[in-house]
Amino acid sequence: MCVSTRVMRLMGMVVLFSMLAIGGGQVVLADTNTSQAALIQKLLVMIQQLQAQLQLLGTTNVATPQSACTSITHLLTIGSTDAVTGGDVTRLQKFLAEKGYFTYGAPTGYFGQATLNAVRLWQDTEHFYEPYGNPAGRGVVSTRSWEKIAESCTSTTIDQQSVTSVGNSFTLSGTASDAKSIFVAIVPHYQTGETDWRSVYTTGSYVAFTGDTVNKVVNGKWSVQFTGLRGDTYEARVYDNSNPTTQRLLLSQTLTVTAPE
């Protein structure tokens, strides 16, 4: 029997027994006041037991729905609709609303000016554009935006948003519960388009990275050290090094480095 059916039947029994216990029904319970009192007491005990079962069902057997991660797979721009993109516009609007960028109201499924403004604000805040960091693509939702949305579903974090280089070095730390080892790359804040590590490494589009050192994730936590970075605003990227052939991007985050003279 499914949980909802059991709950409904138990609730019905509670109501019936309650009516009988308070004399709301027309059933003749007994010939004497003594026997009536005894029966009512038994019914009250049964009611308490049924209420306890209802509480148990409500707390242990009924699963709480979990929100799913947002997945966008279509190129979205002004004029895009749910009908053409399989609902991606609505998913984008919900994602932006949760982040506080889309304030138009309920999702419309149409990529209009309000959605364009929200996307631009999101990209400006996160310091990335489409394609390949070109500000001309401001407001377009393509591969980099898909990655950014996917990153929001990971359990990877960077503890620091700003650091001070002491003795020409500083430490970054964070969490990565879905990776066995990681490495961190530091790229210029304007180099936010290309994220595939092979391309970034081949083109030299990075300032520093943790090299071939195995940075193990222990109990879901990691820590790495950098030296020689001058004061500036960068983008710190955490890559999954559990499988060196893929090295997928887990998280990118703006990092401000202060380097005292």
Side-chain angles (χ1 to χ4, degrees), residues 82-220:
D82 273 353
V84 177
T85 64
D88 270 358
V89 175
T90 289
R91 282 186 281 272
L92 172 67
Q93 291 170 336
K94 287 182 177 180
F95 171 80
L96 293 172
E98 290 174 357
K99 297 293 184 181
Y101 299 115
F102 184 77
T103 57
Y104 181 79
T108 63
Y110 174 74
F111 195 124
Q113 189 63 47
T115 305
L116 179 65
N117 293 341
V119 171
R120 286 175 172 174
L121 180 58
W122 170 48
Q123 292 175 340
D124 289 345
T125 303
E126 296 289 335
H127 303 290
F128 76 96
Y129 304 108
E130 308 272 14
Y132 305 112
N134 185 353
R138 187 168 168 261
V140 176
V141 176
S142 187
T143 54
R144 188 68 186 100
S145 297
W146 302 343
E147 291 171 347
K148 275 288 187 180
I149 292 172
E151 288 170 16
S152 67
C153 294
T154 70
S155 55
T156 304
T157 64
I158 299 175
D159 294 335
Q160 300 82 10
Q161 292 184 328
S162 62
V163 294
T164 299
S165 180
V166 179
N168 204 32
S169 68
F170 64 88
T171 299
L172 289 182
S173 60
T175 61
S177 61
D178 53 352
K180 295 180 180 179
S181 65
I182 57 94
F183 69 91
V184 180
I186 305 296
V187 302
H189 69 89
Y190 54 81
Q191 190 69 36
T192 56
E194 182 58 67
T195 58
D196 178 76
W197 175 242
R198 293 185 186 86
S199 298
V200 172
Y201 181 79
T202 301
T203 59
S205 304
Y206 61 90
V207 176
F209 71 103
T210 53
D212 297 327
T213 304
V214 178
N215 303 297
K216 292 185 177 180
V217 179
V218 180
N219 296 325

Side-chain angles (χ1 to χ4, degrees), residues 40-80:
I40 288 174
Q41 184 61 38
K42 290 181 179 180
L43 290 174
L44 290 174
V45 171
M46 292 178 67
I47 289 172
Q48 293 175 349
Q49 292 173 344
L50 289 170
Q51 288 174 332
Q53 291 185 47
L54 283 172
Q55 184 177 8
L56 183 63
L57 285 172
T59 57
T60 61
N61 293 350
V62 180
T64 302
Q66 301 293 324
S67 58
C69 288
T70 302
S71 176
I72 306 293
T73 57
H74 291 81
L75 172 68
L76 303 179
T77 187
I78 195 81
S80 296

Side-chain angles (χ1 to χ4, degrees), residues 196-198 240-248:
D196 178 76
W197 175 242
R198 293 185 186 86
D240 185 355
N241 203 35
S242 304
N243 184 351
T245 61
T246 56
Q247 296 178 321
R248 65 191 177 97

